[in-house]
mmCIF file of all heavy atoms in Angstrom:
data_model
loop_
_atom_site.group_PDB
_atom_site.id
_atom_site.type_symbol
_atom_site.label_atom_id
_atom_site.label_comp_id
_atom_site.label_asym_id
_atom_site.label_seq_id
_atom_site.Cartn_x
_atom_site.Cartn_y
_atom_site.Cartn_z
ATOM 1 N N CYS A 1 139.880 -55.305 -93.259
ATOM 2 C CA CYS A 1 139.025 -54.405 -94.042
ATOM 3 C C CYS A 1 137.987 -55.239 -94.768
ATOM 4 O O CYS A 1 138.324 -56.113 -95.567
ATOM 5 C CB CYS A 1 139.870 -53.605 -95.031
ATOM 6 S SG CYS A 1 138.869 -52.445 -96.028
ATOM 7 N N LEU A 2 136.716 -54.967 -94.474
ATOM 8 C CA LEU A 2 135.624 -55.746 -95.043
ATOM 9 C C LEU A 2 134.635 -54.806 -95.714
ATOM 10 O O LEU A 2 134.306 -53.739 -95.193
ATOM 11 C CB LEU A 2 134.900 -56.539 -93.951
ATOM 12 C CG LEU A 2 135.739 -57.525 -93.152
ATOM 13 C CD1 LEU A 2 134.928 -57.994 -91.951
ATOM 14 C CD2 LEU A 2 136.156 -58.697 -94.006
ATOM 15 N N ARG A 3 134.129 -55.219 -96.869
ATOM 16 C CA ARG A 3 133.022 -54.505 -97.533
ATOM 17 C C ARG A 3 131.780 -55.372 -97.408
ATOM 18 O O ARG A 3 131.786 -56.503 -97.906
ATOM 19 C CB ARG A 3 133.363 -54.197 -98.978
ATOM 20 C CG ARG A 3 134.431 -53.128 -99.125
ATOM 21 C CD ARG A 3 134.786 -52.849 -100.567
ATOM 22 N NE ARG A 3 135.793 -51.809 -100.667
ATOM 23 C CZ ARG A 3 135.537 -50.545 -100.997
ATOM 24 N NH1 ARG A 3 134.298 -50.169 -101.252
ATOM 25 N NH2 ARG A 3 136.519 -49.665 -101.087
ATOM 26 N N LEU A 4 130.771 -54.866 -96.767
ATOM 27 C CA LEU A 4 129.617 -55.684 -96.403
ATOM 28 C C LEU A 4 128.320 -54.977 -96.798
ATOM 29 O O LEU A 4 128.255 -53.733 -96.790
ATOM 30 C CB LEU A 4 129.609 -55.940 -94.890
ATOM 31 C CG LEU A 4 130.858 -56.582 -94.295
ATOM 32 C CD1 LEU A 4 130.863 -56.441 -92.788
ATOM 33 C CD2 LEU A 4 130.919 -58.053 -94.695
ATOM 34 N N GLU A 5 127.316 -55.762 -97.086
ATOM 35 C CA GLU A 5 125.974 -55.244 -97.331
ATOM 36 C C GLU A 5 125.226 -55.204 -96.018
ATOM 37 O O GLU A 5 125.250 -56.175 -95.243
ATOM 38 C CB GLU A 5 125.221 -56.119 -98.337
ATOM 39 C CG GLU A 5 125.845 -56.143 -99.728
ATOM 40 C CD GLU A 5 125.814 -54.800 -100.391
ATOM 41 O OE1 GLU A 5 124.795 -54.067 -100.260
ATOM 42 O OE2 GLU A 5 126.824 -54.437 -101.043
ATOM 43 N N THR A 6 124.521 -54.103 -95.736
ATOM 44 C CA THR A 6 123.677 -54.053 -94.536
ATOM 45 C C THR A 6 122.417 -54.856 -94.792
ATOM 46 O O THR A 6 121.695 -54.584 -95.763
ATOM 47 C CB THR A 6 123.325 -52.609 -94.179
ATOM 48 O OG1 THR A 6 122.874 -51.925 -95.365
ATOM 49 C CG2 THR A 6 124.524 -51.870 -93.609
ATOM 50 N N PRO A 7 122.140 -55.858 -93.981
ATOM 51 C CA PRO A 7 121.040 -56.771 -94.302
ATOM 52 C C PRO A 7 119.673 -56.263 -93.936
ATOM 53 O O PRO A 7 118.666 -56.804 -94.394
ATOM 54 C CB PRO A 7 121.379 -58.015 -93.469
ATOM 55 C CG PRO A 7 122.130 -57.477 -92.288
ATOM 56 C CD PRO A 7 122.907 -56.313 -92.799
ATOM 57 N N LEU A 8 119.598 -55.214 -93.116
ATOM 58 C CA LEU A 8 118.319 -54.700 -92.655
ATOM 59 C C LEU A 8 118.210 -53.225 -93.032
ATOM 60 O O LEU A 8 119.213 -52.498 -93.047
ATOM 61 C CB LEU A 8 118.179 -54.853 -91.127
ATOM 62 C CG LEU A 8 118.242 -56.291 -90.611
ATOM 63 C CD1 LEU A 8 118.331 -56.310 -89.093
ATOM 64 C CD2 LEU A 8 117.032 -57.089 -91.096
ATOM 65 N N PRO A 9 117.007 -52.728 -93.340
ATOM 66 C CA PRO A 9 116.847 -51.346 -93.768
ATOM 67 C C PRO A 9 116.992 -50.362 -92.605
ATOM 68 O O PRO A 9 116.758 -50.702 -91.455
ATOM 69 C CB PRO A 9 115.439 -51.312 -94.357
ATOM 70 C CG PRO A 9 114.710 -52.419 -93.654
ATOM 71 C CD PRO A 9 115.731 -53.482 -93.385
ATOM 72 N N GLY A 10 117.330 -49.119 -92.942
ATOM 73 C CA GLY A 10 117.476 -48.080 -91.930
ATOM 74 C C GLY A 10 118.914 -47.672 -91.741
ATOM 75 O O GLY A 10 119.814 -48.518 -91.692
ATOM 76 N N ALA A 11 119.151 -46.360 -91.627
ATOM 77 C CA ALA A 11 120.517 -45.858 -91.533
ATOM 78 C C ALA A 11 121.234 -46.345 -90.276
ATOM 79 O O ALA A 11 122.449 -46.553 -90.288
ATOM 80 C CB ALA A 11 120.502 -44.325 -91.543
ATOM 81 N N CYS A 12 120.498 -46.550 -89.196
ATOM 82 C CA CYS A 12 121.112 -47.001 -87.942
ATOM 83 C C CYS A 12 121.708 -48.400 -88.021
ATOM 84 O O CYS A 12 122.537 -48.777 -87.195
ATOM 85 C CB CYS A 12 120.090 -46.935 -86.812
ATOM 86 S SG CYS A 12 118.652 -47.988 -87.081
ATOM 87 N N GLN A 13 121.303 -49.160 -89.036
ATOM 88 C CA GLN A 13 121.767 -50.531 -89.127
ATOM 89 C C GLN A 13 123.265 -50.625 -89.456
ATOM 90 O O GLN A 13 123.899 -51.658 -89.193
ATOM 91 C CB GLN A 13 120.964 -51.314 -90.163
ATOM 92 C CG GLN A 13 119.491 -51.474 -89.798
ATOM 93 C CD GLN A 13 119.289 -52.310 -88.547
ATOM 94 O OE1 GLN A 13 120.196 -52.929 -88.028
ATOM 95 N NE2 GLN A 13 118.060 -52.319 -88.048
ATOM 96 N N ALA A 14 123.837 -49.571 -90.009
ATOM 97 C CA ALA A 14 125.280 -49.587 -90.264
ATOM 98 C C ALA A 14 126.053 -49.668 -88.955
ATOM 99 O O ALA A 14 127.023 -50.420 -88.815
ATOM 100 C CB ALA A 14 125.693 -48.348 -91.047
ATOM 101 N N ASP A 15 125.621 -48.894 -87.942
ATOM 102 C CA ASP A 15 126.270 -48.933 -86.631
ATOM 103 C C ASP A 15 126.060 -50.295 -85.971
ATOM 104 O O ASP A 15 126.981 -50.850 -85.369
ATOM 105 C CB ASP A 15 125.735 -47.830 -85.734
ATOM 106 C CG ASP A 15 126.155 -46.439 -86.193
ATOM 107 O OD1 ASP A 15 127.247 -46.325 -86.786
ATOM 108 O OD2 ASP A 15 125.415 -45.488 -85.970
ATOM 109 N N ASN A 16 124.839 -50.831 -86.095
ATOM 110 C CA ASN A 16 124.570 -52.145 -85.530
ATOM 111 C C ASN A 16 125.467 -53.206 -86.157
ATOM 112 O O ASN A 16 126.028 -54.052 -85.488
ATOM 113 C CB ASN A 16 123.100 -52.538 -85.733
ATOM 114 C CG ASN A 16 122.141 -51.621 -84.966
ATOM 115 O OD1 ASN A 16 122.505 -51.054 -83.939
ATOM 116 N ND2 ASN A 16 120.922 -51.506 -85.465
ATOM 117 N N LEU A 17 125.571 -53.146 -87.489
ATOM 118 C CA LEU A 17 126.418 -54.102 -88.228
ATOM 119 C C LEU A 17 127.870 -53.983 -87.787
ATOM 120 O O LEU A 17 128.558 -54.995 -87.600
ATOM 121 C CB LEU A 17 126.269 -53.880 -89.726
ATOM 122 C CG LEU A 17 127.170 -54.728 -90.633
ATOM 123 C CD1 LEU A 17 126.975 -56.221 -90.387
ATOM 124 C CD2 LEU A 17 126.911 -54.387 -92.090
ATOM 125 N N GLY A 18 128.331 -52.758 -87.585
ATOM 126 C CA GLY A 18 129.714 -52.573 -87.163
ATOM 127 C C GLY A 18 129.988 -53.244 -85.835
ATOM 128 O O GLY A 18 131.021 -53.926 -85.679
ATOM 129 N N GLY A 19 129.060 -53.129 -84.864
ATOM 130 C CA GLY A 19 129.246 -53.770 -83.583
ATOM 131 C C GLY A 19 129.191 -55.275 -83.692
ATOM 132 O O GLY A 19 129.953 -55.985 -83.007
ATOM 133 N N VAL A 20 128.333 -55.779 -84.545
ATOM 134 C CA VAL A 20 128.211 -57.246 -84.741
ATOM 135 C C VAL A 20 129.500 -57.796 -85.308
ATOM 136 O O VAL A 20 129.996 -58.854 -84.855
ATOM 137 C CB VAL A 20 127.004 -57.562 -85.655
ATOM 138 C CG1 VAL A 20 127.080 -58.978 -86.192
ATOM 139 C CG2 VAL A 20 125.702 -57.339 -84.915
ATOM 140 N N VAL A 21 130.071 -57.138 -86.305
ATOM 141 C CA VAL A 21 131.316 -57.631 -86.917
ATOM 142 C C VAL A 21 132.429 -57.632 -85.879
ATOM 143 O O VAL A 21 133.212 -58.599 -85.781
ATOM 144 C CB VAL A 21 131.692 -56.765 -88.137
ATOM 145 C CG1 VAL A 21 133.056 -57.202 -88.687
ATOM 146 C CG2 VAL A 21 130.634 -56.888 -89.223
ATOM 147 N N ALA A 22 132.516 -56.565 -85.078
ATOM 148 C CA ALA A 22 133.550 -56.523 -84.037
ATOM 149 C C ALA A 22 133.369 -57.658 -83.029
ATOM 150 O O ALA A 22 134.323 -58.310 -82.615
ATOM 151 C CB ALA A 22 133.520 -55.180 -83.328
ATOM 152 N N ALA A 23 132.096 -57.916 -82.649
ATOM 153 C CA ALA A 23 131.830 -59.002 -81.699
ATOM 154 C C ALA A 23 132.228 -60.360 -82.272
ATOM 155 O O ALA A 23 132.811 -61.198 -81.572
ATOM 156 C CB ALA A 23 130.342 -58.992 -81.311
ATOM 157 N N LEU A 24 131.900 -60.582 -83.530
ATOM 158 C CA LEU A 24 132.241 -61.856 -84.152
ATOM 159 C C LEU A 24 133.761 -62.014 -84.328
ATOM 160 O O LEU A 24 134.306 -63.095 -84.164
ATOM 161 C CB LEU A 24 131.557 -61.961 -85.515
ATOM 162 C CG LEU A 24 130.028 -62.120 -85.463
ATOM 163 C CD1 LEU A 24 129.425 -61.866 -86.822
ATOM 164 C CD2 LEU A 24 129.657 -63.490 -84.946
ATOM 165 N N ALA A 25 134.424 -60.906 -84.629
ATOM 166 C CA ALA A 25 135.891 -60.970 -84.775
ATOM 167 C C ALA A 25 136.556 -61.296 -83.445
ATOM 168 O O ALA A 25 137.491 -62.108 -83.381
ATOM 169 C CB ALA A 25 136.403 -59.636 -85.310
ATOM 170 N N LEU A 26 136.062 -60.698 -82.357
ATOM 171 C CA LEU A 26 136.667 -60.895 -81.054
ATOM 172 C C LEU A 26 136.367 -62.279 -80.459
ATOM 173 O O LEU A 26 137.066 -62.728 -79.561
ATOM 174 C CB LEU A 26 136.194 -59.814 -80.090
ATOM 175 C CG LEU A 26 136.740 -58.405 -80.384
ATOM 176 C CD1 LEU A 26 136.076 -57.382 -79.514
ATOM 177 C CD2 LEU A 26 138.255 -58.353 -80.198
ATOM 178 N N THR A 27 135.329 -62.938 -80.941
ATOM 179 C CA THR A 27 134.982 -64.278 -80.443
ATOM 180 C C THR A 27 135.306 -65.364 -81.461
ATOM 181 O O THR A 27 134.895 -66.504 -81.324
ATOM 182 C CB THR A 27 133.499 -64.359 -80.080
ATOM 183 O OG1 THR A 27 132.690 -63.964 -81.197
ATOM 184 C CG2 THR A 27 133.180 -63.443 -78.901
ATOM 185 N N ARG A 28 136.062 -65.007 -82.487
ATOM 186 C CA ARG A 28 136.334 -65.922 -83.583
ATOM 187 C C ARG A 28 137.054 -67.191 -83.133
ATOM 188 O O ARG A 28 136.817 -68.283 -83.669
ATOM 189 C CB ARG A 28 137.147 -65.211 -84.669
ATOM 190 C CG ARG A 28 137.404 -66.066 -85.908
ATOM 191 C CD ARG A 28 138.198 -65.263 -86.955
ATOM 192 N NE ARG A 28 138.463 -66.084 -88.117
ATOM 193 C CZ ARG A 28 139.448 -66.953 -88.236
ATOM 194 N NH1 ARG A 28 140.298 -67.135 -87.207
ATOM 195 N NH2 ARG A 28 139.638 -67.651 -89.338
ATOM 196 N N ALA A 29 137.904 -67.069 -82.112
ATOM 197 C CA ALA A 29 138.614 -68.250 -81.645
ATOM 198 C C ALA A 29 137.673 -69.296 -81.090
ATOM 199 O O ALA A 29 137.931 -70.503 -81.179
ATOM 200 C CB ALA A 29 139.628 -67.837 -80.554
ATOM 201 N N ARG A 30 136.530 -68.870 -80.531
ATOM 202 C CA ARG A 30 135.528 -69.802 -80.011
ATOM 203 C C ARG A 30 134.587 -70.296 -81.104
ATOM 204 O O ARG A 30 134.146 -71.437 -81.072
ATOM 205 C CB ARG A 30 134.702 -69.127 -78.904
ATOM 206 C CG ARG A 30 135.428 -68.873 -77.605
ATOM 207 C CD ARG A 30 135.477 -70.119 -76.727
ATOM 208 N NE ARG A 30 134.162 -70.650 -76.379
ATOM 209 C CZ ARG A 30 133.436 -70.246 -75.331
ATOM 210 N NH1 ARG A 30 133.899 -69.273 -74.567
ATOM 211 N NH2 ARG A 30 132.266 -70.803 -75.079
ATOM 212 N N SER A 31 134.238 -69.426 -82.024
ATOM 213 C CA SER A 31 133.180 -69.753 -82.991
ATOM 214 C C SER A 31 133.695 -70.298 -84.301
ATOM 215 O O SER A 31 132.989 -71.041 -85.013
ATOM 216 C CB SER A 31 132.338 -68.513 -83.268
ATOM 217 O OG SER A 31 133.096 -67.553 -83.990
ATOM 218 N N GLY A 32 134.891 -69.933 -84.693
ATOM 219 C CA GLY A 32 135.416 -70.334 -85.986
ATOM 220 C C GLY A 32 134.793 -69.610 -87.175
ATOM 221 O O GLY A 32 134.894 -70.049 -88.317
ATOM 222 N N VAL A 33 134.138 -68.475 -86.932
ATOM 223 C CA VAL A 33 133.482 -67.734 -88.009
ATOM 224 C C VAL A 33 134.531 -67.185 -88.963
ATOM 225 O O VAL A 33 135.529 -66.593 -88.563
ATOM 226 C CB VAL A 33 132.637 -66.581 -87.427
ATOM 227 C CG1 VAL A 33 132.198 -65.624 -88.518
ATOM 228 C CG2 VAL A 33 131.405 -67.138 -86.711
ATOM 229 N N SER A 34 134.277 -67.378 -90.250
ATOM 230 C CA SER A 34 135.145 -66.838 -91.303
ATOM 231 C C SER A 34 134.422 -65.673 -91.988
ATOM 232 O O SER A 34 133.231 -65.460 -91.798
ATOM 233 C CB SER A 34 135.471 -67.910 -92.310
ATOM 234 O OG SER A 34 134.325 -68.266 -93.067
ATOM 235 N N VAL A 35 135.152 -64.972 -92.838
ATOM 236 C CA VAL A 35 134.537 -63.880 -93.614
ATOM 237 C C VAL A 35 133.449 -64.449 -94.539
ATOM 238 O O VAL A 35 132.408 -63.814 -94.746
ATOM 239 C CB VAL A 35 135.615 -63.123 -94.402
ATOM 240 C CG1 VAL A 35 134.970 -62.095 -95.331
ATOM 241 C CG2 VAL A 35 136.555 -62.407 -93.429
ATOM 242 N N ALA A 36 133.676 -65.636 -95.073
ATOM 243 C CA ALA A 36 132.646 -66.262 -95.921
ATOM 244 C C ALA A 36 131.379 -66.537 -95.124
ATOM 245 O O ALA A 36 130.252 -66.302 -95.610
ATOM 246 C CB ALA A 36 133.174 -67.560 -96.512
ATOM 247 N N HIS A 37 131.527 -67.025 -93.896
ATOM 248 C CA HIS A 37 130.356 -67.223 -93.026
ATOM 249 C C HIS A 37 129.646 -65.915 -92.753
ATOM 250 O O HIS A 37 128.419 -65.836 -92.714
ATOM 251 C CB HIS A 37 130.777 -67.858 -91.700
ATOM 252 C CG HIS A 37 131.400 -69.190 -91.815
ATOM 253 N ND1 HIS A 37 132.487 -69.589 -91.062
ATOM 254 C CD2 HIS A 37 131.077 -70.271 -92.608
ATOM 255 C CE1 HIS A 37 132.816 -70.826 -91.363
ATOM 256 N NE2 HIS A 37 131.983 -71.263 -92.304
ATOM 257 N N LEU A 38 130.437 -64.875 -92.527
ATOM 258 C CA LEU A 38 129.895 -63.546 -92.234
ATOM 259 C C LEU A 38 129.006 -63.070 -93.383
ATOM 260 O O LEU A 38 127.840 -62.687 -93.177
ATOM 261 C CB LEU A 38 131.040 -62.573 -92.000
ATOM 262 C CG LEU A 38 130.678 -61.098 -91.736
ATOM 263 C CD1 LEU A 38 129.877 -60.968 -90.452
ATOM 264 C CD2 LEU A 38 131.946 -60.240 -91.661
ATOM 265 N N ASN A 39 129.501 -63.138 -94.596
ATOM 266 C CA ASN A 39 128.717 -62.700 -95.745
ATOM 267 C C ASN A 39 127.479 -63.541 -95.963
ATOM 268 O O ASN A 39 126.398 -63.034 -96.260
ATOM 269 C CB ASN A 39 129.603 -62.707 -97.009
ATOM 270 C CG ASN A 39 130.565 -61.533 -97.047
ATOM 271 O OD1 ASN A 39 130.153 -60.396 -96.973
ATOM 272 N ND2 ASN A 39 131.856 -61.829 -97.155
ATOM 273 N N ARG A 40 127.644 -64.861 -95.792
ATOM 274 C CA ARG A 40 126.489 -65.764 -95.997
ATOM 275 C C ARG A 40 125.413 -65.514 -94.948
ATOM 276 O O ARG A 40 124.233 -65.465 -95.254
ATOM 277 C CB ARG A 40 126.954 -67.215 -95.958
ATOM 278 C CG ARG A 40 125.915 -68.214 -96.435
ATOM 279 C CD ARG A 40 126.419 -69.655 -96.303
ATOM 280 N NE ARG A 40 127.767 -69.758 -96.802
ATOM 281 C CZ ARG A 40 128.719 -70.466 -96.216
ATOM 282 N NH1 ARG A 40 128.470 -71.123 -95.106
ATOM 283 N NH2 ARG A 40 129.925 -70.532 -96.755
ATOM 284 N N GLY A 41 125.829 -65.360 -93.702
ATOM 285 C CA GLY A 41 124.861 -65.125 -92.636
ATOM 286 C C GLY A 41 124.141 -63.801 -92.790
ATOM 287 O O GLY A 41 122.918 -63.728 -92.627
ATOM 288 N N LEU A 42 124.866 -62.745 -93.107
ATOM 289 C CA LEU A 42 124.214 -61.445 -93.300
ATOM 290 C C LEU A 42 123.223 -61.487 -94.418
ATOM 291 O O LEU A 42 122.144 -60.884 -94.341
ATOM 292 C CB LEU A 42 125.275 -60.363 -93.545
ATOM 293 C CG LEU A 42 126.216 -60.029 -92.387
ATOM 294 C CD1 LEU A 42 127.255 -59.018 -92.807
ATOM 295 C CD2 LEU A 42 125.448 -59.555 -91.168
#
């Protein structure tokens, strides 16, 4: 469960952000991305 700020304006960006988080979570074993990296990058 993550609470995140949408980094780009527009209502559609919530759906885009949701897909990005899922993609990063599923590839985390390759990338090593943490929740801290997620917040900093966004």
Side-chain angles (χ1 to χ4, degrees):
C1 180
L2 301 169
R3 289 179 179 258
L4 304 165
E5 296 296 321
T6 47
L8 299 171
C12 59
Q13 296 296 349
D15 291 330
N16 295 334
L17 175 57
V20 164
V21 175
L24 291 166
L26 291 172
T27 55
R28 184 178 179 277
R30 289 278 302 274
S31 68
V33 167
S34 69
V35 173
H37 298 140
L38 178 63
N39 284 304
R40 192 183 314 139
L42 293 177

